[in-house]
Amino acid sequence: MRRASALPASMNAWVLEQYKTPLIKKEVAIPQITQPDQILIKVKAASVNPIDTWLSKGYGNNILSTWRQLEKGSLQSVSRLPLILGHDCCGEVVDVGANVKKFKISDEVIAVIPGTWQGTHAEYVLTKANAAAPKPIKANYVEATTMPFVACTAWAALVTAAQVNPNNASGLRALIHGGSGGIGSAAIQMLNAWGAEKVVATCAANNMEYVRSMGGIPIDYKDHSAKDRLKSEGPFDVILDCVSSDLAQWSDNVMKSWKNSVHVSIVSPLFGETDKYGIPGGIASTALTFFQRACTFPLNGRWFTYAYFWPNEKCLNQISSFIDNGRIKIPNIDRVYKFDEVPTAYIHSSTQDVRGKIVIDVAGDDLLSAGKEIADDPFLTPRVNVI
Ligand SMILES: NC(=O)c1ccc[n+]([C@@H]2O[C@H](COP(=O)([O-])OP(=O)(O)OC[C@H]3O[C@@H](n4cnc5c(N)ncnc54)[C@H](OP(=O)(O)O)[C@@H]3O)[C@@H](O)[C@H]2O)c1
């Protein structure tokens, strides 16, 4: 293993000791590389996604603990607490496992963290080398942090689950429910970059301009004419639900028939149902819900599926190069918080009052001067509000 020589023994991290209690800033040991495919990252910035606040309340604990237990090969149940949350970051590689060829010490990377590992709301984080990609050159580290988790979740839905990919998306018509959110806006941009014919997205009236700026055709889901608009924009090859709603379910009516069209949802009942009924009961109940939802789809030559976040190297590499070549924009950054303000960032993230991304500036470098580096690029003008 090759480790940066001057690493301290401990780091600051925001730790959740019990679900539904406030995060506590603590000094904890820096994670150690235990597998040859791992890298240790000094976190410069990390995003706060709505899912982080849900997880801090215990959402998904049953399934994630069981998954962790399986990973550890333990016969006894495994507690995830104390837990450091945070799914993605931009930072600098400070240690690499013996098999890692792709990165070396001091490389700047964007990365996601496997769902059961300790997260990025800390000064250092461990991940797999194939869950990271070179940082885009044309984005500063706060901007580069906006995409990894949302892009990997959109990729899991569109590419892994729905089998839409950069090579077959040309000419597709897509509909995204929840297009103004983190994952929805990433999906809009990815589909456009892959050559989709059109990407229609439902959102609130006050987010229509934002969806348009991301390359989507916005439809206000509260407007009485929303269904007529969807009929006139469709029929669609692929529908992605980033929100569960009556309109999302109704939109089965605007899917193409006998064209292998697909309705994919990232709002799966699995986490909630396993929390409520335990693992066997929750999986059975999710399977039943899936069957009730999916059973009629084959009658029209269509299909339905759920999708879950998964780290994806190809996705991260593509996002990095798409940002650099201008095919993907940095989404709006609603607010940048300092590392000491992580609890406030969580409270903000759990409100309806977020347009775009919330980012933690862990390194605390001068963001505005970092932003100036790219201010001349009309495509990547910084949109950072530092408080
Ligand atoms: N399966 C997985 O692995 C996975 C991973 C991460 C997240 N998720 C889930 O995916 C969902 C989206 O996550 P996110 O991070 O993108 O959340 P987000 O940023 O909060 O986006 C959700 C968006 O939905 C919009 N919305 C609310 N009601 C709507 C409706 N009736 N129709 C259309 N849009 C509506 C909201 O904006 P407006 O103000 O425009 O309404 C909001 O921006 C969450 O439910 C999350 O739990 C799943």
Side-chain angles (χ1 to χ4, degrees), residues 48-52 54 59 87 149-150 153-154 156-157 176-186 201-208 210-211 219-222 241-248 265-268 271 306-310 349 351-357:
V48 177
N49 292 289
I51 191 89
D52 296 321
W54 294 26
Y59 175 66
H87 282 83
F149 174 71
V150 290
T153 308
I176 315 285
H177 289 290
S180 60
I183 298 161
S185 59
T202 60
C203 60
N206 63 347
N207 278 327
M208 289 179 73
Y210 179 58
V211 164
I219 294 183
D220 173 3
Y221 54 81
K222 285 193 183 147
D241 293 353
C242 299
V243 67
S244 173
S245 69
D246 290 346
L247 187 61
S265 173
I266 57 166
V267 194
S268 153
F271 279 29
Y306 292 123
Y308 304 92
F309 159 75
W310 200 261
S349 172
T351 67
Q352 301 297 310
D353 186 27
V354 183
R355 190 161 311 162
K357 297 286 304 188

Side-chain angles (χ1 to χ4, degrees), residues 281-296:
I283 290 176
S285 150
T286 303
L288 185 64
T289 308
F290 170 78
F291 182 72
Q292 285 168 340
R293 183 84 179 85
C295 65
T296 58

Side-chain angles (χ1 to χ4, degrees), residues 238-258:
V238 54
I239 299 178
L240 167 60
D241 293 353
C242 299
V243 67
S244 173
S245 69
D246 290 346
L247 187 61
Q249 184 139 351
W250 173 88
S251 58
D252 293 346
N253 292 305
V254 287
M255 291 177 78
K256 285 185 183 169
S257 294
W258 299 107

Side-chain angles (χ1 to χ4, degrees), residues 40-120:
L40 181 67
I41 300 171
K42 185 175 197 312
V43 178
K44 290 189 162 190
S47 59
V48 177
N49 292 289
I51 191 89
D52 296 321
T53 61
W54 294 26
L55 293 173
S56 74
K57 293 175 181 142
Y59 175 66
N61 182 49
N62 266 349
I63 193 102
L64 291 168
S65 303
T66 305
W67 182 3
R68 188 79 189 126
Q69 182 182 349
L70 291 173
E71 280 177 340
K72 288 191 152 202
S74 168
L75 292 174
Q76 279 159 5
S77 63
V78 170
S79 169
R80 299 180 69 228
L81 299 169
L83 177 63
I84 302 170
L85 293 156
H87 282 83
D88 59 4
C89 69
C90 178
E92 183 187 332
V93 175
V94 290
D95 197 3
V96 294
N99 291 351
V100 176
K101 306 277 178 268
K102 187 174 148 191
F103 298 115
K104 57 182 186 332
I105 307 295
S106 81
D107 281 353
E108 289 195 311
V109 291
I110 53 171
V112 290
I113 314 303
T116 55
W117 294 25
Q118 296 287 14
T120 56

